[in-house]
Amino acid sequence: MAYLFIALTILLTVYGQLVLKWQVGLHQHLMGPPFSIPNIVALLMKPWVISGFVAAFGASLCWMAAISRLPLSRAYPFMSMNFVVVVLLAAWLFHERLDVYKLVGTAIIVAGVIVLSRSAG
């Protein structure tokens, strides 16, 4: 069950990041100059942005459930998978550059998670 909570944490975190990137990109005029409180409030009132924050809160709840069942040193390396999933989905959804350095770095992260997950701790 702990690994299900970790997977939900990752899923909700990735969802939140991608939705916020999407919405900030759509509403750049709200975040660009002049950077003002009314512009920030307008962006924060967007339903998709709210859903991103709700997802972050849900991810926090799932994370608390996961670390109540596993040692933190065993659970935490899996949070690195957020980087992997976000990099790949950002390349696909937002056409962000995915070069050899990002691919190698992503492979190193995956290898690290595999090594750390085999720890007896």
Side-chain angles (χ1 to χ4, degrees):
M1 194 66 167
Y3 292 102
L4 174 63
F5 286 122
I6 289 173
L8 288 171
T9 301
I10 293 167
L11 178 72
L12 291 167
T13 301
V14 168
Y15 168 83
Q17 294 301 307
L18 294 173
V19 164
L20 291 177
K21 169 65 176 171
W22 170 48
Q23 288 297 294
V24 168
L26 285 178
H27 303 287
Q28 284 180 342
H29 63 283
L30 294 177
M31 292 305 290
F35 192 73
S36 67
I37 298 298
N39 286 353
I40 294 169
V41 170
L43 188 61
L44 291 174
M45 301 318 293
K46 303 285 181 195
W48 282 106
V49 172
I50 293 168
S51 79
F53 285 114
V54 170
F57 181 72
S60 296
L61 295 176
C62 290
W63 181 244
M64 288 188 290
I67 61 174
S68 72
R69 291 164 171 78
L70 284 175
L72 186 59
S73 62
R74 186 165 184 103
Y76 197 71
F78 289 97
M79 293 301 95
S80 300
M81 295 309 294
N82 287 321
F83 296 109
V84 174
V85 178
V86 167
V87 163
L88 296 174
L89 288 176
W92 179 54
L93 295 170
F94 305 121
H95 308 289
E96 292 186 5
R97 188 168 178 219
L98 187 58
D99 57 23
V100 69
Y101 296 104
K102 285 183 184 172
L103 290 172
V104 169
T106 300
I108 290 169
I109 290 170
V110 171
V113 170
I114 291 169
V115 169
L116 287 168
S117 71
R118 295 181 182 274
S119 166

